Structure formats: structure tokens, C-alpha cells
Amino acid sequence: MSVLSPNSVFTSLQQEGPFAVTRVALTTGRFSSQTRLWVKRLQQDPNNRTKYRALRSQLFEFLGVENMEQIKSLVSDSTLREQRSQRALRLLGNMFGIDGNLNEIKSRVDEYARTADAVIHSLNSKILSPYTSYIESTNEIVVTNNPVELLLIMFNDAYHKKARFEARRKVILMTLAGTIDQRERETDVENKFSAFLAFLNGYVWSPNLKIGELDPVFLHSQHNLEDYFCTEVNVLTPQETISVTPVPGEKLTLLKRRSFTVGNKKIPIYVSIRKKPPEAKVLKLLRKNEKNPGVAVDDELGLMAVLDSFSDVKAFQQHLTRSASKANSLMVLEDISDTLFEHVQYRSRAIGSSDKTSMMKFFARLGGMRVEFIIHTNQTWLNYMYQEDVAHNEYEVKRMFDTGVIELLFPMDIFHLDHQKTRNEMIQLFRKQMRS
């Protein structure tokens, strides 16, 4: 289901619908022409009526009011706002299972606000970087972390329509950040990530390596000029690259590799290990049209590896299983897909992904953890970096636009962003950067 569909779980953020932020705040009186028009639109869908009643009940309870008139009074009374803010923090602390006093709860809620801002910043700094002037947030919203203050801005006609929308957006993103934080505490992600690193350093990598020791090499690759598919790749030492000057259709790509030992053979491997940051998890919830991180975010811990050949890939997979046994844990591989061979077509259900993608992907369950592994050969990784339709930067653009997340967060009538045009321009920009 699209995040923009009428039955989306994010209906309250949709600008095309009954909950749209209008030019004038909805506190103009129950019999005003604007209010009557809004009620008429709301009555068109019974599901929206039910959602509205639930949202109104939650909003009134959170603010400690019984009607819209009391919200207007709350906007003008700073002492009352402070009292309601402290009450709201206690409510949030109990809802998200935050232990501690009021200051500790406030600190955690401030983290949620920073995550909400980071969601917008992450898009602003990468896939929408040329459009910063279109989508940059209003200063007053960025510096406001108090959820009561943000909710009151939504009903304060002294604020522009854009600021009122951004206040609503920030509250919703903060709520998602709160559910993610709660999930991370329940599943003990921080300790599991540390345990995973300890497992790799203690049992997987070559024992004669120091922790963090890396060997730099360069991949000298040849690419098809039509779509930049990698046709040939050789591994060079830094000294060997001194005499190499890439021409169009060639790339020199630095890799800093570790190694693992199988028998007497030392096998080099490039590894990228990550714990998905909160803002990335929020974006995934939006893309999946889901508010429950336990359902949507199944790749909190991940490892991407690049090896010289398919035989090295198989050796690494076997080495992982043996290493887990040495660490006194069975390792079970789940949801395996393997398209490293060219004739095997990748079939992903993810919006924006390409059938041309080649990789081995699986989840490994070991030591109380479930870790996502993505394995590449040098050639498939270079395609993942540079090939048209396959490259990860291009995939990020497609999935954010094609799932409707960009339109949801930056609606046209507020941010004046032509979404289809912007999508195509960003794809072309990334393709140009990848070829340079």
C-alpha cells in the first residue's frame, strides 16, 4: 500500500486529503465557511471520520483540553503551557517506557526531536541536495523540541502554512523515533551490535591482524560506456596505480580490506558493518507505510562484504558457520537469495530495485542476534556502485520518490517541488557523478 493511499497509516500527514494543512489554521470557529468545507470533505470517507475522532481524542487528552476554544487559550497562556508540557512529558515517558525523572524523559524526547530533524536533513544533504532552498525547514520549527509547543503551532494562525505543516510533520516523525527507541531498548540492539563486533574480531578475522587493521588496494575496472556495467576488474596495490591514468570507461576505486584464514589460505575481504541509525529507520517505516518497527525494520544490524571471486564468497560463508560454532553458537541462514551468477535474475519486492542487481543476501541468526549479510564479488560491487539502474544512489532516489515518501514529507503546494521532474533530475545527476 502506498504511503499516499487513502488507507495509509500516515493519512494525518497527507496534504491531499481531509487533514491537509490549509492557508488559515483550523481555529476560526466551528461555523466558519472553512470549517464547514473541511467537515464536508471529512464526511466523504467513513474511515477518515473514524481516524479523525481517534486523533482528536488523543490530541485533546495530550494537551489536557476538551475543545478547540481551550486550545486557543492554551496558545496565549505561557504558564498553562508549561504545566501541560510537564504533564505531556510524563504521558510520553509512560507510553514509550522511559525510566527516569522528568529531566531524563525530556532529554529522551529531545533526542526524538533531533532524529526528526535528522530525517529531513539526511534527505536535504543527499538525494535532494540541489533543492535545499525549496525544502529547508523553518528555523522556528527546527529549534522547537517541545511536543506541546509543536502541536499548538499547528493551531496558531500567527504561523505560516509551511511552518504549521512542518510542526505536524515533526510531531509525527518524533512519534516514529519514539517507537524505534522503545524497540531498540526492548531488543537490546546496542549490546547486540557490540557483541557482533566482538564475534567478528574474536572468531572471524585472521588472528594475526590487529583490531581495525586494514590493507588498502585499488580496483582498476573497465566499464561499458552505455550503462557503466563492469566488464573487467583487476586488483592493484597503491604502488601499481602510480602509472595508471583512468580514461573514460575506467575507474580506480579504493578498498581497505581485512582478511580471514581458511586452512593455510589468507583471503582478503572488504567489509562495511553498520547499525542502522534512527533516522534511516524512520524513513524505512515511512517507505513501508508502517508504524511498528518490529514489523518493518528487520535489518537493524548488517554487514556488507566484497571478495575477489565467487569461490571466496563460498569460503566466507562456510567460514562464518564454523566461526559461530567456535563461539558456541549455531548459525542458521534465513531468507537466502543468490544472484551472483549473471544468468540468475534478481527478483526483489522492494520498490525502486532493479532486476539487474547481482548479490548474495541472507540473514544469519547467531548468538541471540539476526544480522543481514550482503555479499558481493568485486565486479558486482562495482556495479552496485556505478551501473545505471543498479547503483545504490540511484536506488535510493527511486525508492524515496516511488514510495511517495518525498511527496508526503514535501507536498507540492507547500514546497513547490515538482516531484517527477526532481526524481528524474536526481537520477541523471547521480549517473553523471558515478561516471566522473
Side-chain angles (χ1 to χ4, degrees):
M1 185 195 307
S2 168
V3 75
L4 299 173
S5 70
N7 293 321
S8 166
V9 299
F10 297 106
T11 310
S12 58
L13 195 54
Q14 292 174 359
Q15 193 59 6
E16 294 292 332
F19 302 105
V21 176
T22 55
R23 184 178 60 83
V24 180
L26 279 176
T27 51
T28 53
R30 68 180 67 183
F31 299 114
S32 69
S33 59
Q34 183 184 349
T35 302
R36 289 200 302 270
L37 177 62
W38 177 77
V39 171
K40 185 177 179 180
R41 293 178 66 189
L42 189 66
Q43 294 292 337
Q44 293 174 357
D45 188 338
N47 191 37
N48 283 334
R49 291 202 304 271
T50 303
K51 287 183 179 181
Y52 166 70
R53 293 190 187 102
L55 284 170
R56 181 182 61 185
S57 176
Q58 293 167 15
L59 175 67
F60 284 1
E61 185 60 38
F62 188 71
L63 293 177
V65 300
E66 296 180 357
N67 53 53
M68 289 291 186
E69 290 299 318
Q70 291 183 6
I71 289 180
K72 293 171 69 174
S73 300
L74 196 54
V75 168
S76 58
D77 190 332
S78 59
T79 303
L80 190 57
R81 284 202 311 275
E82 179 60 27
Q83 294 173 357
R84 298 296 165 81
S85 294
Q86 293 186 12
R87 173 181 175 273
L89 286 174
R90 294 189 185 94
L91 292 174
L92 289 172
N94 288 328
M95 183 175 77
F96 291 124
I98 304 171
D99 295 326
N101 57 36
L102 205 60
N103 285 335
E104 290 169 319
I105 295 172
K106 181 180 181 301
S107 177
R108 190 63 66 100
V109 172
D110 285 346
E111 279 186 31
Y112 302 160
R114 287 191 289 272
T115 296
D117 292 333
V119 170
I120 304 304
H121 178 73
S122 67
L123 297 172
N124 196 350
S125 62
K126 189 171 184 183
I127 70 170
L128 291 173
S129 55
Y131 301 92
T132 300
S133 58
Y134 286 79
I135 64 174
E136 61 184 349
S137 298
T138 305
N139 291 334
E140 288 78 1
I141 306 304
V142 173
V143 300
T144 303
N145 294 339
N146 184 329
V148 168
E149 297 283 358
L150 288 167
L151 285 172
L152 292 177
I153 287 173
M154 291 163 47
F155 297 95
N156 189 345
D157 201 45
Y159 284 85
H160 185 264
K161 174 182 176 181
K162 177 176 179 287
R164 285 184 281 114
F165 173 83
E166 289 174 345
R168 174 186 296 191
R169 183 181 69 187
K170 187 166 181 175
V171 168
I172 292 173
L173 296 180
M174 285 174 67
T175 303
L176 295 179
T179 63
I180 287 165
D181 174 61
Q182 183 180 13
R183 167 75 178 175
E184 288 186 347
R185 284 182 279 112
E186 290 171 351
T187 57
D188 200 20
V189 169
E190 288 290 343
N191 286 332
K192 287 180 179 178
F193 185 62
S194 296
F196 180 53
L197 291 177
F199 163 70
L200 294 173
N201 287 322
Y203 298 94
V204 178
W205 310 137
S206 295
N208 57 334
L209 290 178
K210 294 184 178 180
I211 294 175
E213 183 177 349
L214 302 171
D215 181 29
V217 298
F218 284 85
L219 300 183
H220 183 211
S221 53
Q222 313 291 324
H223 296 263
N224 185 330
L225 287 175
E226 185 177 331
D227 63 359
Y228 242 65
F229 172 80
C230 178
T231 57
E232 183 182 348
V233 58
N234 294 296
V235 180
L236 304 180
T237 65
Q239 293 75 24
E240 290 173 326
T241 64
I242 295 174
S243 59
V244 176
T245 303
V247 298
E250 289 186 356
K251 282 279 188 180
L252 271 180
T253 306
L254 175 67
L255 285 184
K256 295 183 179 181
R257 307 197 291 187
R258 302 172 186 262
S259 65
F260 62 96
T261 304
V262 176
N264 295 321
K265 184 180 179 182
K266 181 180 176 183
I267 301 176
I269 179 172
Y270 166 75
V271 176
S272 173
I273 304 166
R274 60 117 173 94
K275 172 183 172 288
K276 192 182 286 288
E279 60 269 24
K281 293 182 181 180
V282 170
L283 286 171
K284 185 159 189 175
L285 288 177
L286 292 170
R287 294 198 315 269
K288 297 287 187 180
N289 193 28
E290 177 62 63
K291 290 187 177 181
N292 182 0
V295 174
V297 184
D298 59 354
D299 57 349
E300 292 177 307
L301 303 179
L303 178 149
M304 186 177 72
V306 182
L307 297 109
D308 285 339
S309 66
F310 185 70
S311 62
D312 287 349
V313 171
K314 291 191 293 183
F316 179 60
Q317 196 175 18
Q318 293 171 355
H319 179 64
L320 279 173
T321 304
R322 295 193 185 102
S323 298
S325 295
K326 291 178 182 177
N328 296 318
S329 174
L330 180 68
M331 187 174 84
V332 177
L333 304 187
E334 303 172 344
D335 302 336
I336 302 172
S337 66
D338 182 3
T339 55
L340 287 175
F341 285 114
E342 289 185 27
H343 64 275
V344 180
Q345 191 174 44
Y346 179 69
R347 297 190 183 278
S348 172
R349 292 171 291 180
I351 294 175
S353 63
S354 170
D355 290 343
K356 302 175 186 176
T357 304
S358 295
M359 66 173 69
M360 178 187 288
K361 182 178 177 181
F362 58 86
F363 285 87
R365 191 178 293 278
L366 75 159
M369 299 172 282
R370 190 172 189 262
V371 183
E372 181 188 49
F373 282 78
I374 295 175
I375 315 294
H376 283 286
T377 63
N378 290 335
Q379 183 186 36
T380 65
W381 182 74
L382 289 165
N383 288 334
Y384 172 82
M385 294 294 292
Y386 303 124
Q387 186 184 355
E388 291 184 5
D389 293 328
V390 173
H392 186 69
N393 283 344
E394 186 173 330
Y395 168 53
E396 277 199 283
V397 172
K398 290 178 179 177
R399 70 180 180 177
M400 294 305 300
F401 279 91
D402 296 353
T403 55
V405 171
I406 297 298
E407 187 174 347
L408 183 76
L409 297 177
F410 307 102
M412 172 68 178
D413 71 318
I414 293 177
F415 294 92
H416 312 293
L417 195 68
D418 186 328
H419 299 104
Q420 188 60 40
K421 179 173 177 286
T422 303
R423 173 193 183 275
N424 295 336
E425 287 179 349
M426 288 308 304
I427 288 174
Q428 293 305 316
L429 176 62
F430 278 125
R431 287 181 178 178
K432 182 178 180 180
Q433 290 175 351
M434 289 183 294
R435 286 172 176 263
S436 64

mmCIF file of all heavy atoms in Angstrom, residues 82 85-93 98-112 114 145:
data_model
loop_
_atom_site.group_PDB
_atom_site.id
_atom_site.type_symbol
_atom_site.label_atom_id
_atom_site.label_comp_id
_atom_site.label_asym_id
_atom_site.label_seq_id
_atom_site.Cartn_x
_atom_site.Cartn_y
_atom_site.Cartn_z
ATOM 1 N N GLU A 82 3.389 25.575 30.175
ATOM 2 C CA GLU A 82 4.466 24.909 30.889
ATOM 3 C C GLU A 82 3.931 23.751 31.732
ATOM 4 O O GLU A 82 4.529 22.667 31.778
ATOM 5 C CB GLU A 82 5.204 25.917 31.775
ATOM 6 C CG GLU A 82 6.342 25.324 32.598
ATOM 7 C CD GLU A 82 7.436 24.698 31.767
ATOM 8 O OE1 GLU A 82 7.633 25.117 30.613
ATOM 9 O OE2 GLU A 82 8.091 23.755 32.269
ATOM 10 N N SER A 85 3.022 20.995 29.426
ATOM 11 C CA SER A 85 4.227 20.381 28.851
ATOM 12 C C SER A 85 4.812 19.348 29.795
ATOM 13 O O SER A 85 5.224 18.258 29.377
ATOM 14 C CB SER A 85 5.277 21.456 28.536
ATOM 15 O OG SER A 85 4.830 22.312 27.506
ATOM 16 N N GLN A 86 4.847 19.665 31.085
ATOM 17 C CA GLN A 86 5.360 18.705 32.070
ATOM 18 C C GLN A 86 4.454 17.483 32.152
ATOM 19 O O GLN A 86 4.937 16.341 32.229
ATOM 20 C CB GLN A 86 5.495 19.377 33.433
ATOM 21 C CG GLN A 86 6.563 20.462 33.479
ATOM 22 C CD GLN A 86 6.773 21.021 34.882
ATOM 23 O OE1 GLN A 86 6.285 20.462 35.863
ATOM 24 N NE2 GLN A 86 7.518 22.118 34.973
ATOM 25 N N ARG A 87 3.153 17.715 32.114
ATOM 26 C CA ARG A 87 2.206 16.589 32.121
ATOM 27 C C ARG A 87 2.394 15.733 30.880
ATOM 28 O O ARG A 87 2.388 14.491 30.944
ATOM 29 C CB ARG A 87 0.772 17.137 32.181
ATOM 30 C CG ARG A 87 -0.322 16.083 32.033
ATOM 31 C CD ARG A 87 -1.693 16.747 32.095
ATOM 32 N NE ARG A 87 -2.751 15.783 31.840
ATOM 33 C CZ ARG A 87 -3.198 15.463 30.635
ATOM 34 N NH1 ARG A 87 -2.627 16.033 29.556
ATOM 35 N NH2 ARG A 87 -4.158 14.583 30.487
ATOM 36 N N ALA A 88 2.597 16.376 29.721
ATOM 37 C CA ALA A 88 2.764 15.651 28.460
ATOM 38 C C ALA A 88 4.024 14.795 28.486
ATOM 39 O O ALA A 88 4.029 13.671 27.970
ATOM 40 C CB ALA A 88 2.823 16.640 27.299
ATOM 41 N N LEU A 89 5.091 15.308 29.100
ATOM 42 C CA LEU A 89 6.323 14.524 29.184
ATOM 43 C C LEU A 89 6.107 13.250 30.000
ATOM 44 O O LEU A 89 6.612 12.183 29.649
ATOM 45 C CB LEU A 89 7.442 15.363 29.802
ATOM 46 C CG LEU A 89 8.058 16.451 28.913
ATOM 47 C CD1 LEU A 89 9.051 17.294 29.703
ATOM 48 C CD2 LEU A 89 8.755 15.832 27.696
ATOM 49 N N ARG A 90 5.347 13.356 31.082
ATOM 50 C CA ARG A 90 5.067 12.157 31.886
ATOM 51 C C ARG A 90 4.253 11.155 31.078
ATOM 52 O O ARG A 90 4.490 9.941 31.153
ATOM 53 C CB ARG A 90 4.324 12.549 33.159
ATOM 54 C CG ARG A 90 5.160 13.404 34.120
ATOM 55 C CD ARG A 90 4.446 13.586 35.462
ATOM 56 N NE ARG A 90 5.196 14.490 36.333
ATOM 57 C CZ ARG A 90 4.972 15.795 36.417
ATOM 58 N NH1 ARG A 90 4.013 16.354 35.680
ATOM 59 N NH2 ARG A 90 5.697 16.550 37.220
ATOM 60 N N LEU A 91 3.289 11.643 30.306
ATOM 61 C CA LEU A 91 2.483 10.752 29.467
ATOM 62 C C LEU A 91 3.354 10.046 28.433
ATOM 63 O O LEU A 91 3.218 8.840 28.203
ATOM 64 C CB LEU A 91 1.379 11.549 28.768
ATOM 65 C CG LEU A 91 0.274 12.129 29.660
ATOM 66 C CD1 LEU A 91 -0.667 13.006 28.826
ATOM 67 C CD2 LEU A 91 -0.509 11.015 30.343
ATOM 68 N N LEU A 92 4.253 10.799 27.807
ATOM 69 C CA LEU A 92 5.142 10.209 26.804
ATOM 70 C C LEU A 92 6.108 9.213 27.442
ATOM 71 O O LEU A 92 6.399 8.158 26.872
ATOM 72 C CB LEU A 92 5.934 11.311 26.086
ATOM 73 C CG LEU A 92 5.141 12.200 25.133
ATOM 74 C CD1 LEU A 92 6.009 13.354 24.641
ATOM 75 C CD2 LEU A 92 4.624 11.394 23.940
ATOM 76 N N GLY A 93 6.607 9.556 28.637
ATOM 77 C CA GLY A 93 7.513 8.656 29.327
ATOM 78 C C GLY A 93 6.868 7.308 29.605
ATOM 79 O O GLY A 93 7.484 6.253 29.405
ATOM 80 N N ILE A 98 9.928 4.965 29.197
ATOM 81 C CA ILE A 98 11.173 5.651 29.545
ATOM 82 C C ILE A 98 11.279 5.741 31.064
ATOM 83 O O ILE A 98 10.429 6.356 31.721
ATOM 84 C CB ILE A 98 11.215 7.070 28.936
ATOM 85 C CG1 ILE A 98 11.011 7.015 27.421
ATOM 86 C CG2 ILE A 98 12.526 7.758 29.275
ATOM 87 C CD1 ILE A 98 10.826 8.383 26.786
ATOM 88 N N ASP A 99 12.314 5.141 31.611
ATOM 89 C CA ASP A 99 12.546 5.224 33.057
ATOM 90 C C ASP A 99 13.299 6.495 33.387
ATOM 91 O O ASP A 99 14.160 6.943 32.629
ATOM 92 C CB ASP A 99 13.354 4.013 33.533
ATOM 93 C CG ASP A 99 12.595 2.707 33.369
ATOM 94 O OD1 ASP A 99 11.363 2.732 33.529
ATOM 95 O OD2 ASP A 99 13.242 1.683 33.068
ATOM 96 N N GLY A 100 12.986 7.074 34.544
ATOM 97 C CA GLY A 100 13.739 8.240 34.983
ATOM 98 C C GLY A 100 12.841 9.391 35.399
ATOM 99 O O GLY A 100 11.601 9.326 35.310
ATOM 100 N N ASN A 101 13.477 10.471 35.835
ATOM 101 C CA ASN A 101 12.723 11.653 36.252
ATOM 102 C C ASN A 101 12.339 12.491 35.037
ATOM 103 O O ASN A 101 12.634 12.135 33.895
ATOM 104 C CB ASN A 101 13.527 12.474 37.261
ATOM 105 C CG ASN A 101 14.887 12.907 36.710
ATOM 106 O OD1 ASN A 101 15.020 13.202 35.517
ATOM 107 N ND2 ASN A 101 15.900 12.945 37.570
ATOM 108 N N LEU A 102 11.725 13.635 35.316
ATOM 109 C CA LEU A 102 11.212 14.478 34.235
ATOM 110 C C LEU A 102 12.327 14.979 33.325
ATOM 111 O O LEU A 102 12.156 15.042 32.096
ATOM 112 C CB LEU A 102 10.436 15.660 34.828
ATOM 113 C CG LEU A 102 9.360 16.298 33.929
ATOM 114 C CD1 LEU A 102 8.302 15.274 33.557
ATOM 115 C CD2 LEU A 102 8.736 17.498 34.616
ATOM 116 N N ASN A 103 13.476 15.318 33.891
ATOM 117 C CA ASN A 103 14.597 15.793 33.077
ATOM 118 C C ASN A 103 15.119 14.698 32.144
ATOM 119 O O ASN A 103 15.492 14.962 30.996
ATOM 120 C CB ASN A 103 15.733 16.304 33.969
ATOM 121 C CG ASN A 103 15.427 17.658 34.587
ATOM 122 O OD1 ASN A 103 14.639 18.424 34.033
ATOM 123 N ND2 ASN A 103 16.027 17.935 35.729
ATOM 124 N N GLU A 104 15.145 13.465 32.648
ATOM 125 C CA GLU A 104 15.615 12.349 31.827
ATOM 126 C C GLU A 104 14.636 12.051 30.697
ATOM 127 O O GLU A 104 15.036 11.744 29.571
ATOM 128 C CB GLU A 104 15.824 11.114 32.709
ATOM 129 C CG GLU A 104 17.012 11.250 33.653
ATOM 130 C CD GLU A 104 17.066 10.156 34.695
ATOM 131 O OE1 GLU A 104 15.992 9.788 35.230
ATOM 132 O OE2 GLU A 104 18.166 9.657 34.976
ATOM 133 N N ILE A 105 13.352 12.157 31.005
ATOM 134 C CA ILE A 105 12.341 11.962 29.949
ATOM 135 C C ILE A 105 12.461 13.067 28.908
ATOM 136 O O ILE A 105 12.406 12.822 27.701
ATOM 137 C CB ILE A 105 10.927 11.938 30.559
ATOM 138 C CG1 ILE A 105 10.757 10.726 31.477
ATOM 139 C CG2 ILE A 105 9.870 11.902 29.459
ATOM 140 C CD1 ILE A 105 9.464 10.715 32.265
ATOM 141 N N LYS A 106 12.628 14.312 29.386
ATOM 142 C CA LYS A 106 12.776 15.437 28.452
ATOM 143 C C LYS A 106 13.981 15.241 27.553
ATOM 144 O O LYS A 106 13.931 15.525 26.343
ATOM 145 C CB LYS A 106 12.909 16.745 29.225
ATOM 146 C CG LYS A 106 13.037 17.975 28.328
ATOM 147 C CD LYS A 106 13.167 19.246 29.145
ATOM 148 C CE LYS A 106 13.274 20.467 28.230
ATOM 149 N NZ LYS A 106 14.434 20.391 27.318
ATOM 150 N N SER A 107 15.083 14.756 28.123
ATOM 151 C CA SER A 107 16.290 14.519 27.331
ATOM 152 C C SER A 107 16.028 13.494 26.236
ATOM 153 O O SER A 107 16.484 13.653 25.100
ATOM 154 C CB SER A 107 17.418 14.051 28.243
ATOM 155 O OG SER A 107 18.579 13.746 27.506
ATOM 156 N N ARG A 108 15.277 12.449 26.577
ATOM 157 C CA ARG A 108 14.973 11.415 25.580
ATOM 158 C C ARG A 108 14.042 11.962 24.496
ATOM 159 O O ARG A 108 14.229 11.678 23.305
ATOM 160 C CB ARG A 108 14.336 10.214 26.283
ATOM 161 C CG ARG A 108 14.182 8.966 25.403
ATOM 162 C CD ARG A 108 15.535 8.450 24.962
ATOM 163 N NE ARG A 108 16.318 7.948 26.068
ATOM 164 C CZ ARG A 108 16.454 6.669 26.382
ATOM 165 N NH1 ARG A 108 15.847 5.762 25.656
ATOM 166 N NH2 ARG A 108 17.205 6.301 27.390
ATOM 167 N N VAL A 109 13.060 12.760 24.882
ATOM 168 C CA VAL A 109 12.147 13.362 23.902
ATOM 169 C C VAL A 109 12.907 14.335 23.000
ATOM 170 O O VAL A 109 12.627 14.427 21.796
ATOM 171 C CB VAL A 109 10.962 14.051 24.611
ATOM 172 C CG1 VAL A 109 10.115 14.854 23.616
ATOM 173 C CG2 VAL A 109 10.085 13.012 25.322
ATOM 174 N N ASP A 110 13.869 15.057 23.559
ATOM 175 C CA ASP A 110 14.718 15.933 22.740
ATOM 176 C C ASP A 110 15.480 15.117 21.696
ATOM 177 O O ASP A 110 15.697 15.579 20.567
ATOM 178 C CB ASP A 110 15.704 16.704 23.613
ATOM 179 C CG ASP A 110 15.046 17.842 24.381
ATOM 180 O OD1 ASP A 110 13.897 18.195 24.044
ATOM 181 O OD2 ASP A 110 15.665 18.362 25.330
ATOM 182 N N GLU A 111 15.903 13.898 22.067
ATOM 183 C CA GLU A 111 16.558 13.009 21.104
ATOM 184 C C GLU A 111 15.612 12.666 19.960
ATOM 185 O O GLU A 111 16.023 12.607 18.796
ATOM 186 C CB GLU A 111 17.012 11.721 21.792
ATOM 187 C CG GLU A 111 18.314 11.838 22.558
ATOM 188 C CD GLU A 111 18.752 10.475 23.092
ATOM 189 O OE1 GLU A 111 18.454 9.446 22.442
ATOM 190 O OE2 GLU A 111 19.382 10.446 24.160
ATOM 191 N N TYR A 112 14.355 12.425 20.289
ATOM 192 C CA TYR A 112 13.372 12.124 19.250
ATOM 193 C C TYR A 112 13.233 13.311 18.296
ATOM 194 O O TYR A 112 13.096 13.130 17.081
ATOM 195 C CB TYR A 112 12.012 11.789 19.866
ATOM 196 C CG TYR A 112 12.001 10.621 20.826
ATOM 197 C CD1 TYR A 112 10.976 10.460 21.750
ATOM 198 C CD2 TYR A 112 13.034 9.684 20.831
ATOM 199 C CE1 TYR A 112 10.956 9.384 22.630
ATOM 200 C CE2 TYR A 112 13.031 8.614 21.727
ATOM 201 C CZ TYR A 112 11.991 8.473 22.627
ATOM 202 O OH TYR A 112 11.982 7.420 23.503
ATOM 203 N N ARG A 114 15.558 15.534 17.658
ATOM 204 C CA ARG A 114 16.769 15.603 16.835
ATOM 205 C C ARG A 114 16.723 14.549 15.719
ATOM 206 O O ARG A 114 17.197 14.798 14.604
ATOM 207 C CB ARG A 114 18.015 15.434 17.710
ATOM 208 C CG ARG A 114 18.331 16.649 18.563
ATOM 209 C CD ARG A 114 19.705 16.534 19.204
ATOM 210 N NE ARG A 114 19.732 15.526 20.259
ATOM 211 C CZ ARG A 114 19.425 15.767 21.531
ATOM 212 N NH1 ARG A 114 19.053 16.985 21.906
ATOM 213 N NH2 ARG A 114 19.500 14.799 22.431
ATOM 214 N N ASN A 145 11.552 21.707 20.261
ATOM 215 C CA ASN A 145 11.530 20.274 20.524
ATOM 216 C C ASN A 145 10.384 19.849 21.429
ATOM 217 O O ASN A 145 10.112 18.656 21.567
ATOM 218 C CB ASN A 145 12.856 19.828 21.159
ATOM 219 C CG ASN A 145 14.026 19.975 20.205
ATOM 220 O OD1 ASN A 145 13.849 20.031 18.985
ATOM 221 N ND2 ASN A 145 15.229 20.049 20.756
#
